[in-house]
Amino acid sequence: MVLKMIGGIFVVGACGGIGNYFAMCLERRVEELTQLYHAVLELQGEIRYAATPLSEVMVTLGKQGNGRIADWFLTIGKEMELADGRSLAEIVRQTGYVELQKTVLTKQDKEQLFRLGDSLGRLDKTQQLLATEYYLKGLQGEIEEAKKIKKERSYLYRCLSILTGVFLMILML
């Protein structure tokens, strides 16, 4: 009987851990979207005021930030400095498929980011600023929605996982 109780406690703990993992993924998505927002905001400022080459801006963004988003910008900057004839859009997509797999961004988030990369390399300064402004407005809405979802579902994931663990423990006993 004691072993069943210990096993039941482990089951409840494991189920609680799974629920906590999913809640933390929602929290990480909000953090990553916020990091992305600040990075694109800084990119917009560099385009508007400094007229720094995009490769230098990407490297700077990568070095200033932390996390997987910053690593991705650093990778883009290094790939652009190689100057092997690829366009920025190609580099953004190729590195994005590899680097952004490590994030919890949704497929839609990544696709919008790739569309921004498509427009950055080949448009003039005014069009690049408009593209970044449009992207930032959409990203701001995504951040608000992600916060709302996090608030609603985090509690739900944690509670349901604990209740599932308790249910499984009762079935075991």
Side-chain angles (χ1 to χ4, degrees):
M1 184 67 173
V2 174
L3 287 178
K4 282 186 177 183
M5 284 299 271
I6 292 172
I9 291 171
F10 283 137
V11 167
V12 171
C15 287
I18 290 170
N20 200 36
Y21 168 77
F22 284 112
M24 288 176 68
C25 285
L26 293 175
E27 189 173 321
R28 255 184 50 211
R29 180 169 181 253
V30 171
E31 290 171 9
E32 288 176 353
L33 286 173
T34 305
Q35 288 174 1
L36 194 56
Y37 180 83
H38 291 296
V40 173
L41 194 63
E42 192 165 327
L43 173 68
Q44 184 183 41
E46 289 288 333
I47 291 170
R48 179 174 285 145
Y49 301 114
T52 310
L54 280 176
S55 61
E56 290 179 28
V57 173
M58 296 295 181
V59 170
T60 304
L61 289 174
K63 288 181 180 176
Q64 286 178 350
N66 57 357
R68 293 179 171 106
I69 302 296
D71 294 342
W72 179 59
F73 279 113
L74 188 61
T75 304
I76 291 172
K78 288 180 180 178
E79 289 289 322
M80 287 177 71
E81 288 174 350
L82 292 177
D84 58 357
R86 292 182 295 166
S87 68
L88 177 62
E90 289 176 295
I91 293 172
V92 166
R93 285 190 185 274
Q94 289 171 353
T95 58
Y97 288 131
V98 175
E99 293 288 328
L100 295 179
Q101 275 187 328
K102 304 170 191 171
T103 66
V104 291
L105 297 176
T106 64
K107 187 175 182 178
Q108 180 185 1
D109 296 335
K110 294 174 190 175
E111 201 53 46
Q112 289 174 349
L113 191 56
F114 293 157
R115 272 190 246 127
L116 175 66
D118 290 345
S119 62
L120 279 182
R122 54 190 170 94
L123 300 175
D124 65 345
K125 180 179 175 179
T126 307
Q127 295 297 327
Q128 288 180 5
L129 290 172
L130 288 173
T132 55
E133 187 66 36
Y134 177 74
Y135 178 75
L136 286 172
K137 284 182 182 178
L139 189 59
Q140 204 168 23
E142 281 293 320
I143 291 171
E144 293 304 317
E145 187 174 329
K147 284 180 181 178
K148 187 176 99 176
I149 289 172
K150 181 192 114 187
K151 185 177 180 180
E152 292 172 356
R153 294 186 186 169
S154 290
Y155 182 72
L156 179 72
Y157 287 160
R158 288 184 175 116
C159 288
L160 283 179
S161 64
I162 295 292
L163 288 174
T164 302
V166 169
F167 176 72
L168 291 174
M169 185 175 86
I170 291 171
L171 282 178
M172 286 177 26
L173 299 178

Coordinates of all heavy atoms in Angstrom, one line a residue, residues 46-51 123-130:
E46 N 17.6 52.1 -36.4 CA 18.9 52.1 -37.2 C 18.6 52.5 -38.7 O 19.4 53.2 -39.3 CB 19.6 50.7 -37.1 CG 20.2 50.4 -35.7 CD 21.4 51.2 -35.4 OE1 22.1 51.6 -36.4 OE2 21.7 51.5 -34.2
I47 N 17.6 51.9 -39.2 CA 17.3 52.2 -40.6 C 16.9 53.7 -40.8 O 17.4 54.4 -41.7 CB 16.1 51.4 -41.1 CG1 16.5 49.9 -41.2 CG2 15.6 51.9 -42.5 CD1 15.3 49.0 -41.5
R48 N 16.1 54.3 -39.8 CA 15.7 55.6 -39.9 C 16.8 56.7 -39.7 O 16.9 57.6 -40.5 CB 14.6 55.9 -38.9 CG 14.0 57.3 -38.9 CD 12.8 57.5 -38.0 NE 11.7 56.8 -38.7 CZ 10.7 56.2 -38.1 NH1 10.7 56.1 -36.8 NH2 9.7 55.7 -38.7
Y49 N 17.6 56.5 -38.7 CA 18.5 57.5 -38.3 C 20.0 57.3 -38.6 O 20.7 58.2 -38.9 CB 18.4 57.8 -36.7 CG 17.0 58.2 -36.4 CD1 16.2 57.4 -35.6 CD2 16.4 59.4 -36.8 CE1 14.9 57.7 -35.2 CE2 15.1 59.7 -36.5 CZ 14.4 58.9 -35.7 OH 13.1 59.3 -35.3
A50 N 20.4 56.0 -38.5 CA 21.9 55.8 -38.6 C 22.3 55.4 -40.0 O 23.5 55.6 -40.3 CB 22.3 54.7 -37.6
A51 N 21.4 54.9 -40.8 CA 21.8 54.4 -42.1 C 22.9 53.4 -42.1 O 23.8 53.4 -43.0 CB 22.0 55.6 -43.1
L123 N 13.9 46.8 -50.6 CA 13.2 48.0 -50.7 C 14.0 49.2 -50.3 O 15.0 49.1 -49.7 CB 11.9 48.0 -49.8 CG 10.9 46.8 -50.1 CD1 9.9 46.8 -49.0 CD2 10.3 47.0 -51.5
D124 N 13.5 50.4 -50.7 CA 14.3 51.7 -50.3 C 14.0 52.0 -48.8 O 13.2 51.3 -48.2 CB 13.9 52.8 -51.2 CG 12.4 53.2 -51.1 OD1 11.6 52.5 -50.5 OD2 12.1 54.4 -51.5
K125 N 14.6 53.0 -48.3 CA 14.5 53.3 -46.9 C 13.1 53.5 -46.4 O 12.7 53.0 -45.4 CB 15.4 54.5 -46.6 CG 15.4 55.0 -45.2 CD 16.3 56.2 -45.0 CE 16.2 56.7 -43.6 NZ 17.1 57.9 -43.4
T126 N 12.3 54.3 -47.2 CA 10.9 54.6 -46.8 C 10.1 53.4 -46.7 O 9.3 53.2 -45.8 CB 10.3 55.6 -47.8 OG1 11.2 56.7 -47.9 CG2 9.0 56.1 -47.3
Q127 N 10.2 52.5 -47.7 CA 9.5 51.3 -47.8 C 9.9 50.3 -46.6 O 9.0 49.6 -46.1 CB 9.6 50.6 -49.1 CG 9.0 51.4 -50.3 CD 7.5 51.5 -50.1 OE1 6.8 50.7 -49.6 NE2 7.0 52.7 -50.6
Q128 N 11.2 50.3 -46.3 CA 11.6 49.5 -45.2 C 11.0 49.9 -43.9 O 10.6 49.1 -43.0 CB 13.1 49.5 -45.1 CG 13.8 48.7 -46.2 CD 15.3 48.7 -46.1 OE1 15.9 49.3 -45.2 NE2 16.0 48.2 -47.1
L129 N 11.0 51.3 -43.7 CA 10.4 51.8 -42.5 C 8.9 51.5 -42.4 O 8.4 51.2 -41.3 CB 10.6 53.3 -42.4 CG 12.0 53.8 -42.2 CD1 12.2 55.3 -42.4 CD2 12.5 53.3 -40.8
L130 N 8.2 51.6 -43.5 CA 6.8 51.2 -43.5 C 6.6 49.7 -43.2 O 5.7 49.4 -42.5 CB 6.2 51.6 -44.9 CG 6.0 53.1 -45.1 CD1 5.5 53.3 -46.6 CD2 5.0 53.7 -44.1

